[in-house]
Amino acid sequence: MARDNARRGPSRRGQGAPQPSQPGRGGQHRGRDQRAGSRSGGGAPGGRQAQGGRGQRGPKRPAPRSQRASGRQDQPRATTPGSDLIEGRRAVAEALDAGVSIRTAYVQDGAGSSEGADRALAALVRRLADAGVECEAVPRSRLDRLSSHGAHQGIVVKTKPFSYATIEDVIAAAGEGDALVVVLDHVTDEGNFGAIVRSAEVVGAAGVVVANARAATVGPGAYKTSAGAVLHLPIAQVPNLARAIDRLKEAGFWACAATEHAEQDVWHAPVYGRLALVMGSEGEGVSRLVLDHCDFCARLPQRGRVESLNVAQATTVMCYEWLRRASEGARSDA
């Protein structure tokens, strides 16, 4: 759709509803659907529990960036206890390449020795030993107990707890031009989380933002399913997702909530430029509070009978639509 219409055109749903009390970025309103009900659905963009709409926007944005620059504060990165295991050969190799501090490597007894038949694992064990990592041979049953998904491939390493970024780190990584940030509204499955981080990193996202409670953390499952991508882009843990979205909007981002109740599908919604893509949890979707802080909504079109994709698959599709627009030169000021 035309950019001007996307910014200024009223929602087609609920013609009698009041106009939003606050316009979008730069005093313009990026066309969005009226807010769905208390939750916007499960897993993929949207869900089954939306009821009615809201016509009001989130809180007014603070002063322009030029007035905030002097007040910006660097915050120390937080760590989460328990996020200290990496399993699988590729993830371990990625950790070595990224300089992650590894304390101990647990290797399946006999499989990683120079006399063993598994040369690839033996080569990885030599790399670990050369890096000064203590390598301990253990029974496969112990690796099975340490593994989150039973796919350790004969090796699990223990690291220092993962060091999370701040929202300011993500904004800094985004720079001044077009950028994508993926915001996860309490995605709880570590496998889904890791897969989303992998997709975000592959398309060149600036970072991922997650809640610091009731949400998946960077642990063995995330290391495994992300194929080490958690080591290559900022992952910010924040206490309040709504405030984090407002901070991204201050930095020039539009916030798009993925929900099946959106009027626009992702092919026609303005998912380009500086975009904060908000994805909901597996069971409940995007919360009402977070939805109220988004500028517009988008859904995935579908023809089949299955209700929806899961959140990791849906995020991948929407990330690639942003990348397609970016590759074609679509910009937020077009």
Side-chain angles (χ1 to χ4, degrees), residues 41-88:
R48 299 181 291 274
Q49 302 179 19
Q51 300 174 3
R54 277 195 173 188
Q56 297 186 358
R57 284 206 17 89
K60 185 176 181 180
R61 299 186 187 181
R65 188 180 343 181
S66 60
Q67 299 178 28
R68 300 190 310 270
S70 60
R72 177 172 165 177
Q73 298 180 354
D74 292 328
Q75 304 176 17
R77 292 191 174 197
T79 58
T80 297
S83 303
D84 59 352
L85 295 175
I86 302 175
E87 65 177 282

Side-chain angles (χ1 to χ4, degrees), residues 22-168:
Q22 294 295 334
R25 194 170 59 226
Q28 297 175 314
H29 174 57
R30 192 176 194 172
R32 58 168 172 74
D33 299 281
Q34 298 298 324
R35 301 295 185 240
S38 61
R39 307 291 291 187
S40 65
R48 299 181 291 274
Q49 302 179 19
Q51 300 174 3
R54 277 195 173 188
Q56 297 186 358
R57 284 206 17 89
K60 185 176 181 180
R61 299 186 187 181
R65 188 180 343 181
S66 60
Q67 299 178 28
R68 300 190 310 270
S70 60
R72 177 172 165 177
Q73 298 180 354
D74 292 328
Q75 304 176 17
R77 292 191 174 197
T79 58
T80 297
S83 303
D84 59 352
L85 295 175
I86 302 175
E87 65 177 282
R89 301 176 190 185
R90 182 171 179 178
V92 171
E94 289 274 1
L96 277 171
D97 293 339
V100 174
S101 180
I102 298 175
R103 295 175 174 175
T104 308
Y106 303 104
V107 185
Q108 185 172 328
D109 192 12
S113 67
S114 57
E115 296 81 13
D118 196 331
R119 295 181 180 179
L121 184 57
L124 182 56
V125 170
R126 285 195 299 271
R127 284 191 62 193
L128 288 163
D130 291 343
V133 177
E134 178 185 358
C135 297
E136 180 180 343
V138 298
R140 180 183 178 89
S141 59
R142 184 174 178 187
L143 294 179
D144 291 340
R145 290 193 298 271
L146 292 173
S147 173
S148 64
H149 285 75
H152 50 73
Q153 299 175 311
I155 187 166
V156 176
V157 299
K158 186 171 185 177
T159 72
K160 292 182 179 179
F162 183 80
S163 182
Y164 287 93
T166 67
I167 191 67
E168 299 302 329

Side-chain angles (χ1 to χ4, degrees), residues 206-237:
V208 175
V209 179
V210 299
N212 64 1
R214 305 187 314 280
T217 58
V218 179
Y223 275 111
K224 178 68 176 177
T225 57
S226 76
V230 294
L231 303 171
H232 297 303
L233 84 168
I235 300 175
Q237 244 187 4

